[in-house]
Amino acid sequence: MGIRTTTYCQPEKIETNNSISFGEAVIQLRQLLVRATLARVQPGKTGVHVSGGLDSTGIACILADHIDDKTRLIGYSLTPEELIDPGNKKNEKEFIEEFSTGKGVPVRYLKLEKNAIVKDSTEPEFEIQHIEYPILRMAGKDGVTTLFSGWGGDEFLSLSNRGLLNLCFFNANVFLLIKYLKRYGILFSLKMATAELLPLLVPFWLLPTFRRTDWTQLRLLKGSFIWKHRKLIFFHNRKNVFGYGNRKGFIMKLLYLYHIPTRMDNWTMYAEKYGFEYKYPLLDKEVLDFWFSLPIRFTYENFDARLLFREIMKGTLTESIRNRRDKSETLKMLYGHKKMIEGKEYLTSLFNAVPDKDHLPFCNVKAYIKLFNSPYPKNMIGFWKKFDLRCAYLRKVELVKRYIAP
């Protein structure tokens, strides 16, 4: 269920600097970000994530512009090595190749071996972002000392327009709400209200999506276990992250709810396994302290998502990427889905090979047997959810067996 019981620590109050102009904020943030990136460079080979999007490619461009010896730089992309027809979606490879050619940095593409995604998805210590593990192994074999990521940008500095409707609604800002409706339309606004507003207005037992918990998963646990932990399961689980209007409050919830620390810990441990360090310049403390001091209006100026980051990256980031509004992960999604389909029988064989004594005593094993024998949904998202449920159980079985004495 992803339950945590640690007490949250409140952040220090950061005063808002209402006298600063947008242009001044851009200049200072650019200086802070460049300094944060270069301060994390270490001797030896440097790896950089390159996705074709703003955040990772922005960090890669800063490195490419300031490291004279380009042989030290290696790009790594989650876009698959084999091109899969994404239909009418953007081909991320075009953007990645434009970066590679323009900046003189070679890029290595994702390639999954047979059943690799199943094996990675069932490793007990690493529960998220399984498709990134081949990239980390590749970086380890290449002998990089550091691997830079643009992760954290979507949560902070290059913040999208997520949670903006809450800002309009809960602050009763009618003028801003009217602008929002004109910009995005009634249908889109209603769709966003379902995701962002309703969970804060409707009691959790009346809205299945509240706290983003799939309550049907409770059937996979024994009733006695659910009853014993009922308070943690029903009342202290993940709350809606968008909150009551303050977009910076939304950001802090990602910290309180361990969204950011969990992923950082996950990648740090796996990087350590392969002998290098992960670096996240967009999560630099000085960068974030300054970002939090800016007026909230800078995060939604003219409803232009990621406006601050786009302005910071002017003259550094490849223009085709800097100006894009439609980053697509279609290639990665299709590739991952294809590899999941190829490995689903192998996944079932792993479950069938679990000895009776190793099955988890707090789980409803009969429900898991039914789950593993049930057909997968035909749609991609439904398939992923069922696939992840199966992998999660096998991870827990292996984790208990490996670390808890009999």
Side-chain angles (χ1 to χ4, degrees):
M1 300 293 293
I3 300 167
R4 291 179 183 265
T5 58
T6 306
T7 302
Y8 300 142
C9 296
Q10 295 295 326
E12 296 181 6
K13 182 176 177 60
I14 301 175
E15 297 296 331
T16 299
N17 181 5
N18 288 308
S19 63
I20 192 170
S21 69
F22 184 83
E24 291 171 333
V26 168
I27 292 171
Q28 290 191 49
L29 275 172
R30 181 187 293 122
Q31 294 172 343
L32 288 170
L33 182 57
V34 170
R35 186 167 67 196
T37 303
L38 299 182
R40 287 166 168 77
V41 177
Q42 296 180 356
K45 291 184 179 179
T46 300
V48 290
H49 277 296
V50 184
S51 68
L54 272 73
D55 301 330
S56 65
T57 315
I59 296 299
C61 286
I62 291 175
L63 291 167
D65 287 350
H66 290 84
I67 294 179
D68 294 330
D69 183 4
K70 297 296 190 294
T71 61
R72 289 183 54 194
L73 290 175
I74 306 175
Y76 296 98
S77 173
L78 292 175
T79 297
E81 189 172 34
E82 310 96 77
L83 180 63
I84 301 173
D85 181 15
N88 295 322
K89 299 293 184 180
K90 289 287 184 182
N91 180 359
E92 295 299 312
K93 276 188 162 182
E94 295 177 3
F95 294 100
I96 295 166
E97 289 298 325
E98 184 174 343
F99 157 80
S100 179
T101 303
K103 299 294 184 179
V105 178
V107 176
R108 300 187 64 183
Y109 292 95
L110 174 69
K111 183 175 183 179
L112 296 177
E113 303 297 334
K114 183 178 180 181
N115 295 324
I117 200 166
V118 172
K119 294 174 183 176
D120 290 335
S121 300
T122 53
E123 247 191 88
E125 294 91 348
F126 311 104
E127 298 187 16
I128 58 176
Q129 304 296 322
H130 314 300
I131 203 165
E132 293 197 4
Y133 301 161
I135 293 291
L136 304 187
R137 285 194 291 270
M138 194 185 301
K141 291 179 181 178
D142 289 339
V144 304
T145 56
T146 52
L147 181 59
F148 280 79
S149 172
W151 192 75
D154 193 35
E155 286 74 14
F156 285 98
L157 186 57
S158 65
L159 181 65
S160 66
N161 281 334
R162 293 178 301 170
L164 183 53
L165 186 58
N166 291 49
L167 177 66
C168 302
F169 183 84
F170 288 111
N171 286 279
N173 192 326
V174 178
F175 176 72
L176 192 61
L177 182 59
I178 292 174
K179 286 184 64 177
Y180 185 96
L181 293 173
K182 287 183 177 179
R183 174 68 181 268
Y184 296 108
I186 299 295
L187 291 179
F188 178 83
S189 301
L190 288 175
K191 180 181 177 180
M192 296 306 297
T194 301
E196 298 181 9
L197 294 179
L198 279 185
L200 296 168
L201 299 174
V202 180
F204 77 89
W205 57 84
L206 297 178
L207 193 66
T209 58
F210 189 82
R211 297 170 181 169
R212 297 172 183 249
T213 299
D214 182 1
W215 299 109
T216 62
Q217 294 182 25
L218 292 178
R219 72 181 187 280
L220 301 174
L221 299 171
K222 286 188 175 179
S224 57
F225 181 86
I226 296 173
W227 177 252
K228 182 178 180 180
H229 300 283
R230 60 191 181 278
K231 289 184 179 180
L232 288 175
I233 293 173
F234 294 108
F235 299 104
H236 296 285
N237 204 349
R238 182 176 181 179
K239 295 181 180 180
N240 178 278
V241 296
F242 297 109
Y244 293 94
N246 190 325
R247 302 193 81 209
K248 293 175 182 177
F250 154 55
I251 301 305
M252 295 311 299
K253 284 184 175 63
L254 294 178
L255 288 170
Y256 297 161
L257 298 171
Y258 297 93
H259 170 74
I260 291 172
T262 297
R263 290 196 175 189
M264 290 180 69
D265 288 348
N266 186 273
W267 283 321
T268 297
M269 288 188 294
Y270 215 92
E272 184 178 354
K273 178 177 180 179
Y274 290 103
F276 59 86
E277 291 187 54
Y278 238 119
K279 302 294 183 181
Y280 315 91
L282 289 174
L283 295 177
D284 178 80
K285 184 179 184 301
E286 288 188 2
V287 172
L288 296 187
D289 281 349
F290 182 73
W291 185 88
F292 272 108
S293 74
L294 299 177
I296 287 194
R297 69 178 184 276
F298 288 178
T299 71
Y300 63 85
E301 195 80 14
N302 298 321
F303 298 116
D304 192 347
R306 306 175 184 272
L307 179 62
L308 265 173
F309 194 73
R310 293 181 199 277
E311 291 300 311
I312 291 169
M313 288 290 106
K314 187 176 290 185
T316 300
L317 185 61
T318 307
E319 279 297 289
S320 63
I321 298 175
R322 194 182 76 85
N323 292 319
R324 68 181 306 194
R325 297 293 192 272
D326 55 351
K327 181 179 183 299
S328 170
E329 294 189 333
T330 303
L331 282 174
K332 185 180 78 173
M333 293 172 67
L334 288 175
Y335 189 60
H337 188 223
K338 174 186 174 184
K339 291 298 180 181
M340 286 179 181
I341 293 174
E342 291 175 358
K344 64 180 183 180
E345 286 78 13
Y346 177 70
L347 186 61
T348 301
S349 71
L350 292 179
F351 176 79
N352 292 333
V354 175
D356 291 341
K357 64 181 181 63
D358 289 341
H359 280 292
L360 302 177
F362 55 87
C363 288
N364 183 350
V365 179
K366 290 184 178 179
Y368 271 103
I369 292 174
K370 184 177 179 181
L371 172 67
F372 272 86
N373 290 326
S374 63
Y376 285 84
K378 293 183 179 180
N379 67 84
M380 187 184 298
I381 301 301
F383 186 99
W384 281 356
K385 288 181 179 179
K386 296 299 182 183
F387 186 90
D388 285 344
L389 278 178
R390 290 162 165 84
C391 291
Y393 183 76
L394 292 173
R395 280 199 304 271
K396 293 171 187 173
V397 167
E398 185 61 29
L399 188 67
V400 170
K401 183 170 64 174
R402 186 178 300 184
Y403 295 104
I404 299 182

